[in-house]
Amino acid sequence: DAGVIQSPRHEVTEMGQEVTLRCKPISGHNSLFWYRQTMMRGLELLIYFNNNVPIDDSGMPEDRFSAKMPNASFSTLKIQPSEPRDSAVYFCASRSGGGYEQYFGPGTRLTVT
Amino acid sequence: KQEVTQIPAALSVPEGENLVLNCSFTDSAIYNLQWFRQDPGKGLTSLLLIQSSQREQTSGRLNASLDKSSGRSTLYIAASQPGDSATYLCAVTTGNQFYFGTGTSLTVIP
């Protein structure tokens, strides 16, 4: 299995632009998580899905952030409009229903100038 | 490569007891260390974040310490409650790489 796939790996954009991050979970996993990592705040859970349904989005910082999971093999995290303080590494992780270990993707490093 | 170990792997205590969870890491060149809680079916919940320049952090009944030179951190839980039952994970960060520990499964018995 290729593991969790994220794209792009790096994104540089200007303030005010829309940014879309993509994630393909491991086949057969039914839970998907979006995290954000910064040096100051560490790793923070933004939102997670079970069976394509958003379960808890309390970690989403504000309305500029939205996430979707249209099917079991694809999810997006969108920021519109982006701001410099959104600069961070965004991780996607997936988990099978029977276990607790999460498998992380390589992350997307986002820089908003 | 950084290796993060947590001891014990499982712990069962009666309600009201104070307890300590341990985390050790092999490479002391870390930016920060973070303690998480994981409940079945849910995502990771961040409990405490200790930057490399800090020695400890406190939040409510939780206190986490960091001794970077010896590669150790402890999470102290005071007056444990059944609601504290969960798996506790520590993670260290170096650059944008983070490494999770093996986890401690805690059960607090009413």
Side-chain angles (χ1 to χ4, degrees), chain A residues 21-83:
Chain A
L21 311 181
R22 298 172 175 79
C23 175
K24 176 178 169 54
I26 293 174
S27 177
H29 284 190
N30 65 345
S31 296
L32 184 141
F33 308 83
W34 280 102
Y35 294 91
R36 177 173 67 176
Q37 185 191 38
T38 62
M39 286 300 113
M40 290 301 297
R41 300 173 67 91
L43 192 68
E44 301 172 286
L45 176 65
L46 300 177
I47 185 173
Y48 73 94
F49 297 82
N50 278 346
N51 297 318
N52 312 339
V53 177
I55 302 301
D56 183 359
D57 65 353
S58 60
M60 297 286 261
E62 48 199 277
D63 291 345
R64 298 184 296 107
F65 286 70
S66 62
K68 293 182 179 180
M69 192 165 186
N71 57 61
S73 60
F74 183 65
S75 177
T76 60
L77 177 67
K78 184 177 294 185
I79 308 172
Q80 167 63 20
S82 57
E83 297 182 4

Side-chain angles (χ1 to χ4, degrees), chain A residues 33 35 37 39-43 45 48 50 89 91 95 100 102 104 109, chain B residues 31-32 34 36 38 41-44 46 49 51 93 95-96 98 100 102:
Chain A
F33 308 83
Y35 294 91
Q37 185 191 38
M39 286 300 113
M40 290 301 297
R41 300 173 67 91
L43 192 68
L45 176 65
Y48 73 94
N50 278 346
V89 181
F91 289 96
R95 183 180 67 198
Y100 79 88
Q102 297 182 32
F104 280 76
R109 180 174 291 279
Chain B
Y31 283 126
N32 58 48
Q34 199 165 359
F36 295 90
Q38 185 170 34
K42 297 186 178 181
L44 298 175
S46 178
L49 171 69
Q51 302 290 353
T93 298
N96 72 337
F98 55 88
F100 280 96
T102 46

Side-chain angles (χ1 to χ4, degrees), chain B residues 39-100:
Chain B
D39 295 278
K42 297 186 178 181
L44 298 175
T45 301
S46 178
L47 298 174
L48 291 164
L49 171 69
I50 311 177
Q51 302 290 353
S52 62
S53 58
Q54 298 174 323
R55 298 283 293 184
E56 67 176 345
Q57 284 287 330
T58 298
S59 176
R61 295 182 294 108
L62 306 180
N63 175 276
S65 67
L66 174 63
D67 185 340
K68 203 171 65 165
S69 61
S70 67
R72 292 180 183 175
S73 176
T74 61
L75 178 65
Y76 175 83
I77 303 177
S80 58
Q81 303 171 357
D84 295 331
S85 298
T87 296
Y88 290 80
L89 296 163
C90 68
V92 298
T93 298
T94 304
N96 72 337
Q97 295 290 321
F98 55 88
Y99 303 87
F100 280 96

